[in-house]
Amino acid sequence: MRRKQIEPALVMFRNAQKLQPLITWRANQEKAEFSAVFLDTPMAGSTPVNYLAGRATYDRHFHCVIPDTPVDVDMLRGKADVVFNMICNADDGKDMLVYALDLVERLGRPTINHPRLIMQTDRATMARRLADIPGCIVPRTIRVAGTVLLEAAAKQELAGFSLPMLVRFAGTHGGD
């Protein structure tokens, strides 16, 4: 079984951030139309950067949001005409979205994919929101701990559910 080694990884990310707090991709033309700061994190699912900013007419500056790591807000604000939050998975990025929200509020710039809005897009919340739309068929969705699933498997029942059902790890798209 592969084990996540989060603490050693965070140490490495913090050290890298000290060496290079911002990675910059220049516009693909001589004069950039504007400048954007992209917020990403190693701690949760994010939108792949090339989908959003592969070839662009604006300068792109990438900042890694890491818990309990000092941020030079003035430096970032000076690079950002706009902020793009790439931390987009509310299921496995809930904790990181809190850090991104704090940073976005301190930057005070127009923000795309605002963390406050992304926080409301986890699977269970979206299923509840969509369930009341006439004609929209939405499977019942809940988030449960692995221990609850093990108990349910042993009893061959999960309160309020019946087979077939799809079980996924939070933040993934595969399922069994």
Side-chain angles (χ1 to χ4, degrees), residues 5-109:
Q5 296 188 14
I6 293 173
E7 285 308 314
L10 280 176
V11 168
M12 286 189 277
F13 273 102
R14 285 184 182 113
N15 288 335
Q17 186 114 337
K18 284 178 191 170
L19 294 172
Q20 188 173 2
L22 206 58
I23 295 170
T24 297
W25 293 358
R26 295 285 173 211
N28 65 353
Q29 60 190 36
E30 192 171 321
K31 184 169 172 25
E33 292 178 2
F34 62 94
S35 182
V37 168
F38 287 76
L39 302 180
D40 200 357
T41 185
M43 304 301 298
S46 297
T47 305
V49 67
N50 281 333
Y51 291 160
L52 300 171
R55 292 183 43 85
T57 57
Y58 56 92
D59 286 341
R60 292 134 304 161
H61 307 282
F62 300 92
H63 175 73
C64 193
V65 177
I66 304 170
D68 306 319
T69 302
V71 176
D72 185 343
V73 174
D74 291 332
M75 182 269 299
L76 289 178
R77 189 181 299 116
K79 301 283 186 183
D81 294 314
V82 65
V83 175
F84 194 109
N85 171 44
M86 295 188 344
I87 307 165
C88 60
N89 190 323
D91 285 298
D92 69 358
K94 180 175 70 172
D95 295 337
M96 294 313 301
L97 284 164
V98 172
Y99 288 101
L101 174 61
D102 175 66
L103 181 53
V104 161
E105 288 180 347
R106 290 189 291 153
L107 289 172
R109 295 288 192 252

Side-chain angles (χ1 to χ4, degrees), residues 118-131:
I118 301 301
M119 289 172 166
Q120 304 302 314
T121 63
D122 62 274
R123 282 195 176 111
T125 300
M126 292 308 298
R128 284 191 304 274
R129 284 182 172 175
L130 296 173

